[in-house]
Every structure is written in structure tokens, then in C-alpha cells.
């Protein structure tokens, strides 16, 4: 599960696509959770740690953190990550 999260993060950085953040959050969590309870656990731990750091250090604010966590939970619960896919994001992602 951890590698799924890392891959989603690397893809997000590579894509560098405005508005795609929530899609990559949902996709990483979805992919990790598909591996079973251990993958879902890894996704939750990594997502929570990232959001804690982001809210404390980056100054992006509580609303962005809340929206990220919504996308994380959506993906972890088996929701289709494409719910958050922005129009025009290259199909390789």
C-alpha cells in the first residue's frame, strides 16, 4: 500500500496539473486499499501524516486539509478516484 501512495505522489508531481491534487489523493488511497486491510492502513497512516504536516507547515489551511481528507477517505472506501479527475488530465494518469 505504501508504494501505491508513493506512486500516486510521484505521478502528481510529474503531471504538475492544476486541479488534480484531489484525484491523486483518491487514487493513491484507492490503489493501496485494494491490496487489503494492510494497504488501507498504510494509506490512512500516510494520508494523515501528510495532512498533519501540510496543515501545520505549509499554511494551506483547514479547508484544503478537509478536502484532501475527503478525497483520501473516498478512495480508501472503494470510491472511484475519477470523481476527482479534472478535465484534460493526460490519460496516462
Amino acid at each position: 500500500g505504501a508504494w501505491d501512495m508513493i506512486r500516486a505522489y510521484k505521478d502528481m508531481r510529474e503531471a504538475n496539473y492544476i486541479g488534480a491534487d484531489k484525484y491523486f489523493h483518491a487514487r493513491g488511497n484507492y490503489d493501496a486499499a485494494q491490496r487489503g486491510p494492510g494497504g488501507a492502513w498504510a494509506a490512512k497512516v500516510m494520508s494523515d501524516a501528510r495532512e498533519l504536516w501540510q496543515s501545520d507547515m505549509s499554511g494551506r489551511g483547514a479547508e484544503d486539509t478537509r478536502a484532501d481528507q475527503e478525497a483520501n477517505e473516498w478512495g480508501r472506501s472503494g470510491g472511484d478516484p475519477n470523481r476527482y479527475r479534472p478535465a484534460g488530465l493526460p490519460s496516462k494518469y
Side-chain angles (χ1 to χ4, degrees):
W3 288 114
D4 295 307
M5 298 293 290
I6 292 167
R7 185 177 62 246
Y9 179 76
K10 289 173 75 176
D11 285 350
M12 179 178 71
R13 301 287 298 193
E14 177 184 297
N16 194 28
Y17 198 87
I18 293 174
D21 177 52
K22 306 305 180 257
Y23 165 75
F24 288 108
H25 278 268
R27 197 194 84 190
N29 277 269
Y30 176 86
D31 290 347
Q34 294 304 299
R35 297 187 183 278
W41 176 84
K44 179 162 179 38
V45 168
M46 291 178 80
S47 294
D48 289 351
R50 180 177 186 271
E51 294 309 319
L52 180 63
W53 176 85
Q54 181 176 299
S55 66
D56 289 348
M57 301 295 213
S58 75
R60 289 190 180 169
E63 181 58 28
D64 188 62
T65 294
R66 187 205 57 74
D68 286 351
Q69 287 289 44
E70 178 183 296
N72 294 336
E73 291 170 18
W74 174 261
R76 259 194 322 274
S77 68
D80 184 354
N82 287 312
R83 171 184 185 176
Y84 296 97
R85 184 183 191 86
L89 180 67
S91 61
K92 77 181 256 181
Y93 304 108

